[in-house]
Amino acid sequence: MRTRPLKVALLGCGVVGSEVARIMTTHADDLAARIGAPIELAGVAVRRPSKVREGIPADLITTDATALVKRGDIDVVVEVIGGIEPARSLITTAFEHGASVVSANKALLAQDGAALHAEAQENGKDLYYEAAVAGAIPLIRPLRESLAGDKINRVMGIVNGTTNFILDKMDSTGAGYQEALDEATALGYAEADPTADVEGFDAAAKAAILAGIAFHTRVRLDDVYREGMSEVTSADFASAKEMGCTIKLLAICERAADGGSVTARVHPAMIPLSHPLASVRGAYNAVFVESDAAGQLMFYGPGAGGSPTASAVLGDLVAVCRNKLSGATGPGDSAYAQLPVSPMGDVVTRYHISLDVADKPGVLAQVATVFAEHGVSIDTVRQQGKDGEASLVVVTHRASDASLNGTVESLRNLDTVRGVASIMRVEGE
Amino acid sequence: MRTRPLKVALLGCGVVGSEVARIMTTHADDLAARIGAPIELAGVAVRRPSKVREGIPADLITTDATALVKRGDIDVVVEVIGGIEPARSLITTAFEHGASVVSANKALLAQDGAALHAEAQENGKDLYYEAAVAGAIPLIRPLRESLAGDKINRVMGIVNGTTNFILDKMDSTGAGYQEALDEATALGYAEADPTADVEGFDAAAKAAILAGIAFHTRVRLDDVYREGMSEVTSADFASAKEMGCTIKLLAICERAADGGSVTARVHPAMIPLSHPLASVRGAYNAVFVESDAAGQLMFYGPGAGGSPTASAVLGDLVAVCRNKLSGATGPGDSAYAQLPVSPMGDVVTRYHISLDVADKPGVLAQVATVFAEHGVSIDTVRQQGKDGEASLVVVTHRASDASLNGTVESLRNLDTVRGVASIMRVEGE
């Protein structure tokens, strides 16, 4: 084994960073044996140097992150600051000064992944980011490497633990959205401002990263259709139950049937209770992958938290250090396929639509005609009367999102349709 | 991209081999883009050259596998023959003549993995074998690489599809073992001689491989305790249901609580229906991993079949070809921890024991005394009378296998105990 240590600079020392530093110390011998050389924490860049950080020598702490990555003797920079700047500039500077980078930064990777990969490659360095998607669940490495000889057709996952906690709570207790959110906040699963989670921004960033890797295609954050889950109601769960389904916030990346394009989207959807994703409870994450040869795979585990995220960071750190010692780099960005990303209107799936209608003869015929005019085929209709009003629940066969939107617009124009109570996609069949 | 192709020799052209050859042809462009160079099927060694093999040029077919791996221009040998010899000698010869090896051979890896890894390392070559455990499920790469910065404490999996199909059938239909086995045979899930599957030999080989990787320790096939599932009865499933459990054939690799030793075992066990492994149906496989930092992870997918296994082989082929191009080798064998493998008697778990006893006062007290004398603490007892006879169902707290065996031996010597109807371990809590 090489005795001269590889030097690691840590940018950020919050929940994840402090856990990375702790494991680097407590598991030093194991990490050295697995890498083939010891690793040494050479510096830790923080914003608040006065905060006591147990187990980290005070002389390693600095507020000058740029000077740290410019030192020139750093082998690997671990970026766990999050956000776009200064993380982006620091990573670029790291590459230019001889370091490879391990990052847990999904927002940055989703927005600037292509440029960062190009910079890594120009400088002959590695950029690894297993922790950016679904915490500790090994996902990027399996998709990029284990399935490298296969053709992935669909990646469908629960990639946000906060929203899964809320939806699971609504499903199991009958709680409304606000009540479940409040509990998530009280337990620390949701942040004070939960927008990034509940409106699907976090999941959309992960969808962009996953779609890019799965389809060897550049998928930008703007390419991802996004719909949050803050409008899911107890009534939606009741409807889902009647169909033998539950509701999950899903990130779905699909190759079109003709193989010529891809789509990426995030929205709440009903899935059958028999689907492996339906039984993913609490704040857990899971990603279901369908490929030509391997068939159906699922990867399950904790999607967030200091320790799980640190586990993913350290797995990458070991790999990047090994690459460094052997003078090689790992599999980098792969966007050779350059498939176009289609808009949401082209997505084909099934829909569950609840309508409030007048309770009189001929309404069902009118409604059915509208669906037919838009080429949307109906699978089942359930009609329920109540005090002169009635509700119609329509479940469609597979149709494009554009056709469905056209249908709904026409339905709203019918005198006999008082309102469209809810529209939800049905996935996983 | 390099234009000179990398040359691949295929040893074996059965269900898996022919699928590997097919995908190499149909997905040639994708594979070339992912590797950075085209790959070329340079030769296919078979036993029966007269058999028609669609899509494989006749001039590539040979019966002389040794001459093929000795050619000297082969970059990667894909071994999908199975069994110990001639696979073992061919792999050794391949290393000596400049080729890296991708194998799907669990029996060989479990028996001779250490020696083969040593040969690969001496020759500066790769030995990859993702397909040897749980078919297409990415497992070896996640354990070896993604979790390289973590400490794995337990690997517990359903790693044999045939037995899971049989047990699932017994659970869902109430069928007996023989009836379920017959159906598995008729559907092609079980071989004419099902011994390797139902007696747990196949799962034991996988357990040895998984334990070795998870604990960075040499675990030989002989170190794995093995108990098949051919004696599981409908009555056992009824007992399991009463406990809110089902029965699975599990491969369990554990680090002892003090961290100083490991165990590996294969046996049928009750697991709670709420455990993620309980809902793994049909011939699917899944492996549940518990580690210090990442927490609980699960990997799920098809555990066998031509296409899934070919997917795993091709993922390895891409990785090995990439390594070849960059002049590096991937992470090889890692047995630095050298932990001792403890015998089955040291394993600590819970037990479900059914006893046929005389239906008279004082029997329960006698039985309870025997448990106490052996230091086995009882969790619950259920007593049921029938025609002067009674049955006692005892579920214990955690105890060592040695203590439990001692207890059962003493119970058999009690006059009031007519027989021990069944003993089954309870896992997953």
Side-chain angles (χ1 to χ4, degrees):
Chain A
M1 194 193 303
R2 187 177 110 155
T3 51
R4 187 163 57 82
L6 289 156
K7 293 190 177 179
V8 177
L10 185 59
L11 309 183
C13 198
V15 179
V16 176
S18 59
E19 186 66 7
V20 169
R22 190 189 67 76
I23 298 177
M24 277 181 64
T25 308
T26 55
H27 290 52
D29 291 347
D30 277 324
L31 293 169
R34 294 171 195 180
I35 291 167
I39 53 173
E40 174 190 307
L41 192 58
V44 182
V46 301
R47 273 183 306 182
R48 287 176 296 154
S50 57
K51 191 175 156 193
V52 175
R53 290 178 170 85
E54 210 177 317
I56 299 178
D59 61 345
L60 293 185
I61 304 280
T62 174
T63 54
D64 192 345
T66 306
L68 178 57
V69 298
K70 276 188 176 171
R71 263 174 48 173
D73 66 336
I74 302 295
D75 294 290
V76 187
V77 168
V78 173
E79 183 272 304
V80 286
I81 307 173
I84 305 300
E85 284 295 349
R88 200 201 181 299
S89 305
L90 289 169
I91 290 175
T92 300
T93 309
F95 289 142
E96 290 165 359
H97 289 78
S100 282
V101 172
V102 174
S103 170
N105 194 327
K106 59 187 164 278
L108 178 58
L109 264 302
Q111 182 183 300
D112 289 331
L116 291 172
H117 273 295
E119 290 168 15
Q121 202 177 351
E122 276 162 31
N123 291 284
K125 297 289 169 284
D126 274 325
L127 172 61
Y128 274 48
Y129 48 94
E130 182 68 79
V133 181
I137 310 176
L139 202 55
I140 293 180
R141 191 174 275 104
L143 287 180
R144 201 194 280 293
E145 302 180 39
S146 305
L147 290 169
D150 206 334
K151 184 179 169 199
I152 298 171
N153 295 312
R154 181 184 284 123
V155 177
M156 177 161 86
I158 296 166
V159 294
N160 180 277
T162 306
T163 49
N164 200 57
F165 179 89
I166 295 170
L167 291 169
D168 186 22
K169 187 57 65 177
M170 291 174 74
D171 187 32
S172 58
T173 67
Y177 166 73
Q178 190 59 49
E179 188 187 337
L181 172 60
D182 290 346
E183 183 169 348
T185 310
L187 291 171
Y189 286 119
E191 296 183 41
D193 176 359
T195 311
D197 292 320
V198 302
E199 296 305 339
F201 292 99
D202 173 84
K206 293 165 179 170
I209 296 174
L210 288 174
I213 294 172
F215 305 132
H216 300 270
T217 282
R218 197 88 63 213
V219 178
R220 294 168 308 125
L221 190 49
D222 293 346
D223 295 327
V224 182
Y225 173 83
R226 182 194 51 75
E227 203 177 293
M229 47 68 75
S230 58
E231 290 177 18
V232 175
T233 64
S234 312
D236 292 328
F237 272 103
S239 301
K241 279 210 171 96
E242 280 180 28
M243 286 184 62
C245 286
T246 185
I247 297 171
K248 297 291 187 187
L249 183 71
L250 298 178
I252 305 175
C253 313
E254 278 177 323
R255 192 188 290 276
D258 67 1
S261 63
V262 300
T263 53
R265 51 192 165 117
V266 168
H267 55 71
M270 295 185 183
I271 54 167
L273 293 174
S274 58
H275 194 283
L277 287 176
S279 51
V280 176
R281 312 296 302 270
Y284 272 82
N285 281 196
V287 176
F288 194 75
V289 178
E290 295 176 71
S291 73
D292 263 6
Q296 302 184 325
L297 303 172
M298 192 173 80
F299 303 85
Y300 165 98
S307 290
T309 309
S311 170
V313 166
L314 284 159
D316 279 354
L317 182 60
V318 169
V320 169
C321 287
R322 290 193 77 260
N323 290 344
K324 197 103 187 179
L325 289 181
S326 69
T329 53
D333 196 22
S334 170
Y336 72 87
Q338 297 185 20
L339 296 171
V341 185
S342 299
M344 188 62 191
D346 289 2
V347 165
V348 172
T349 186
R350 300 175 64 214
Y351 302 85
H352 177 283
I353 303 139
S354 291
L355 303 171
D356 293 324
V357 297
D359 190 8
K360 58 184 186 188
V363 174
L364 178 53
Q366 275 190 332
V367 166
T369 303
V370 170
F371 276 87
E373 282 168 1
H374 289 273
V376 178
S377 167
I378 292 176
D379 180 15
T380 60
V381 181
R382 209 174 55 245
Q383 198 166 187
Q384 213 164 11
K386 44 168 192 186
D387 312 329
E389 298 270 308
S391 72
L392 270 186
V393 174
V394 179
V395 180
T396 73
H397 286 298
R398 285 166 60 80
S400 75
D401 216 69
S403 314
L404 194 277
N405 283 337
T407 307
V408 170
E409 206 172 310
S410 301
L411 287 172
R412 289 192 205 275
N413 292 332
L414 285 183
D415 285 348
T416 48
V417 172
R418 312 266 199 243
V420 180
S422 85
I423 306 169
M424 196 170 291
R425 297 177 186 87
V426 183
E427 305 287 343
E429 279 168 301
Chain B
M1 193 195 298
R2 187 177 110 155
T3 51
R4 188 164 56 81
L6 289 156
K7 294 190 176 179
V8 177
L10 185 58
L11 309 184
C13 199
V15 179
V16 176
S18 58
E19 186 65 7
V20 169
R22 188 189 68 75
I23 298 177
M24 278 181 64
T25 308
T26 57
H27 291 53
D29 292 347
D30 278 324
L31 292 169
R34 295 171 194 180
I35 291 167
I39 53 174
E40 175 190 306
L41 192 58
V44 182
V46 301
R47 270 183 307 183
R48 287 175 298 154
S50 57
K51 192 174 156 193
V52 176
R53 291 178 168 86
E54 211 177 315
I56 300 178
D59 61 345
L60 293 185
I61 304 280
T62 174
T63 53
D64 192 346
T66 305
L68 177 57
V69 298
K70 276 188 175 172
R71 263 173 49 172
D73 65 337
I74 302 296
D75 293 291
V76 186
V77 167
V78 173
E79 183 272 304
V80 286
I81 306 174
I84 305 299
E85 284 294 350
R88 200 200 181 301
S89 305
L90 289 169
I91 290 175
T92 300
T93 309
F95 289 141
E96 289 166 357
H97 288 79
S100 282
V101 172
V102 174
S103 169
N105 194 328
K106 59 189 164 276
L108 178 57
L109 264 302
Q111 182 183 302
D112 289 331
L116 291 172
H117 273 296
E119 290 169 14
Q121 201 176 352
E122 276 162 32
N123 291 283
K125 297 290 170 281
D126 274 326
L127 171 61
Y128 275 47
Y129 48 94
E130 182 68 79
V133 181
I137 309 176
L139 201 57
I140 291 179
R141 190 174 275 104
L143 288 180
R144 201 194 279 295
E145 301 180 39
S146 305
L147 291 170
D150 206 335
K151 184 180 169 198
I152 298 171
N153 295 312
R154 180 183 286 123
V155 176
M156 177 160 86
I158 296 167
V159 294
N160 180 278
T162 305
T163 48
N164 200 57
F165 178 90
I166 295 171
L167 290 169
D168 186 21
K169 188 58 65 177
M170 291 175 73
D171 187 32
S172 58
T173 67
Y177 167 72
Q178 190 59 46
E179 188 187 338
L181 171 61
D182 289 346
E183 183 169 347
T185 310
L187 291 170
Y189 287 119
E191 296 183 43
D193 176 0
T195 311
D197 292 319
V198 301
E199 296 305 340
F201 291 99
D202 174 85
K206 293 164 178 171
I209 295 172
L210 288 174
I213 294 171
F215 305 132
H216 300 270
T217 281
R218 198 86 66 212
V219 178
R220 293 168 308 123
L221 189 50
D222 293 347
D223 294 326
V224 182
Y225 173 83
R226 182 195 52 75
E227 203 177 295
M229 47 66 75
S230 58
E231 289 177 19
V232 175
T233 64
S234 312
D236 292 328
F237 273 101
S239 301
K241 277 208 172 96
E242 280 180 28
M243 285 184 65
C245 286
T246 185
I247 298 170
K248 297 290 189 188
L249 183 72
L250 298 178
I252 304 175
C253 313
E254 278 177 324
R255 192 187 291 276
D258 68 2
S261 63
V262 299
T263 53
R265 53 193 165 116
V266 168
H267 54 70
M270 295 185 182
I271 53 167
L273 292 174
S274 58
H275 194 283
L277 287 176
S279 52
V280 176
R281 312 295 302 268
Y284 272 82
N285 281 196
V287 176
F288 194 76
V289 178
E290 294 175 72
S291 73
D292 262 7
Q296 301 185 325
L297 303 171
M298 191 173 79
F299 304 85
Y300 164 97
S307 290
T309 308
S311 171
V313 166
L314 284 158
D316 279 354
L317 183 59
V318 168
V320 168
C321 286
R322 289 193 79 260
N323 290 345
K324 198 102 187 181
L325 288 180
S326 68
T329 53
D333 195 22
S334 171
Y336 72 87
Q338 296 186 20
L339 296 170
V341 185
S342 299
M344 188 61 191
D346 289 1
V347 165
V348 171
T349 186
R350 299 175 64 215
Y351 302 84
H352 177 285
I353 304 138
S354 293
L355 303 172
D356 293 324
V357 298
D359 190 8
K360 57 184 189 188
V363 173
L364 177 54
Q366 273 190 334
V367 166
T369 302
V370 169
F371 276 87
E373 282 168 0
H374 290 272
V376 178
S377 165
I378 291 176
D379 180 14
T380 61
V381 182
R382 210 173 56 246
Q383 198 166 186
Q384 214 164 10
K386 45 170 190 186
D387 312 330
E389 298 270 307
S391 73
L392 270 185
V393 174
V394 179
V395 179
T396 74
H397 286 299
R398 286 166 60 80
S400 75
D401 217 70
S403 313
L404 194 279
N405 284 337
T407 307
V408 170
E409 205 171 312
S410 301
L411 288 172
R412 288 192 206 276
N413 292 333
L414 285 185
D415 284 347
T416 48
V417 172
R418 313 267 198 241
V420 179
S422 85
I423 306 170
M424 195 169 293
R425 297 176 185 88
V426 182
E427 305 286 344
E429 280 169 301

